[in-house]
Amino acid sequence: MAIVRLKGFGEIEVPTGTSLLQAAQKVDAPEGYACGGVCACSTCHVIVREGLESCNEATDAEYDQLDEAPGVTPKSRLGCQCVPDGTKDIVVEIPEWNKNYAKEAEH
C-alpha cells in the first residue's frame, strides 16, 4: 500500500500500482486529465514535494508532455504516469493552474 497526501485535499491509502491521478480521483481532487490519463497531454501535471524517489522513473513520452506544461519544476510529474512503490509516503501538490473544477454530468 502507498500513502498519498494531496496538499489541500487530504490523505489516501492506495494499493501499490495506483497512479497519482487515480489517487487524486479517489478523494475528488480536481486534477485535470483531458486525455483520459494516457500520457497525451499535460493537464495532470503535479509536483511531488516528498517521496519522489519511491516513484517509477519518468519516460521520454512523459518528459515530452511535461515540456508543454506551465510551471514545471525538477519534481514535476504527470499524475497519470507517476506510480509510487509504497516504500515512502508521497506528498503531492496539484498546481493551481491545473485544477479542473468542471465535472461532466452523469448521463
Side-chain angles (χ1 to χ4, degrees), residues 2-15:
I3 302 292
V4 178
R5 291 184 182 91
L6 291 156
K7 286 185 152 195
F9 300 99
E11 178 179 298
I12 184 167
E13 185 174 4
V14 294

Side-chain angles (χ1 to χ4, degrees), residues 12-55:
I12 184 167
E13 185 174 4
V14 294
T16 303
T18 301
S19 73
L20 296 180
L21 174 61
Q22 292 167 322
Q25 290 171 332
K26 290 182 182 290
V27 294
D28 290 326
E31 184 177 7
Y33 57 102
C35 73
V38 296
C39 196
C41 72
S42 61
T43 59
C44 67
H45 168 222
V46 296
I47 301 169
V48 182
R49 296 293 182 191
E50 294 176 29
L52 183 59
E53 63 277 6
S54 69
C55 296

Side-chain angles (χ1 to χ4, degrees), residues 23-106:
Q25 290 171 332
K26 290 182 182 290
V27 294
D28 290 326
E31 184 177 7
Y33 57 102
C35 73
V38 296
C39 196
C41 72
S42 61
T43 59
C44 67
H45 168 222
V46 296
I47 301 169
V48 182
R49 296 293 182 191
E50 294 176 29
L52 183 59
E53 63 277 6
S54 69
C55 296
N56 62 319
E57 293 286 326
T59 63
D60 288 341
E62 182 179 354
Y63 285 127
D64 287 346
Q65 292 303 323
L66 282 169
D67 284 343
E68 304 300 319
V72 172
T73 75
K75 294 184 174 193
S76 289
R77 293 293 305 267
L78 295 182
C80 69
Q81 299 301 298
C82 188
V83 180
D85 66 14
T87 59
K88 290 191 173 201
D89 292 356
I90 308 297
V91 177
V92 179
E93 178 183 347
I94 301 171
E96 198 62 40
W97 57 84
N98 263 20
K99 292 179 183 172
N100 178 6
Y101 290 102
K103 294 194 187 255
E104 278 195 39
E106 295 288 327

